[in-house]
Amino acid sequence: MTELFKIRKRITITWLICAAILLIFVIALVLNHPDLTKVAGSWYSTSIMPSTGVIIGLWLAVSHTGTTNKHVNSMSAGLAEAFLYFYIFCLIMPFVVFVGYKQLSFEAYFEISQMWLALLQTPTLALLGKIFADNTEPT
């Protein structure tokens, strides 16, 4: 069993740092390439903002419940974290691989990635919801 508050906190901090870094990257990209404003904004709003909203909303939903001595199944916690880290990896790595080495345009990457990122985002958010909703008492 993993302490529930610690896993929620670790997931939240990791995600918010990633979202902030990607926001800075998108802003810098748009400042250098104003023609990418629409496609970059669309990518960020569909790939990052739903997860951010769910995490913040889940914090608000569980804020009235105490978190002391509450635990979550280690398998669930590990799976949720693994999906989150893999999703973050899939958000960041293609910028380096596809755009950096293959000379794929940012616009093409933003358009292509929305479908497969959505497919990864769904189970990731479902697992995050389980972690935030779970409040098994310690045995």
Side-chain angles (χ1 to χ4, degrees), residues 39-113:
V39 70
S42 175
W43 177 84
Y44 192 86
S45 66
T46 58
S47 301
I48 307 297
M49 294 309 293
S51 301
T52 306
V54 165
I55 290 172
I56 291 171
L58 288 170
W59 270 109
L60 292 172
V62 300
S63 64
H64 67 281
T65 63
T67 56
T68 56
N69 296 328
K70 296 202 177 180
H71 290 75
V72 66
N73 183 307
S74 296
M75 179 70 170
S76 297
L79 197 57
E81 274 193 296
F83 265 82
L84 180 71
Y85 296 143
F86 184 68
Y87 185 68
I88 290 170
F89 174 80
C90 290
L91 284 169
I92 295 172
M93 205 54 183
F95 283 117
V96 176
V97 175
F98 293 139
V99 179
Y101 297 120
K102 301 279 185 178
Q103 299 303 317
L104 183 67
S105 71
F106 283 110
E107 187 171 10
Y109 166 71
F110 287 140
E111 290 174 5
I112 292 168
S113 68

Side-chain angles (χ1 to χ4, degrees), residues 22-40:
L22 286 169
L23 179 62
I24 291 168
F25 176 77
V26 167
I27 289 171
L29 182 67
V30 167
L31 289 175
N32 289 324
H33 304 283
D35 55 313
L36 294 176
T37 302
K38 185 175 181 178
V39 70

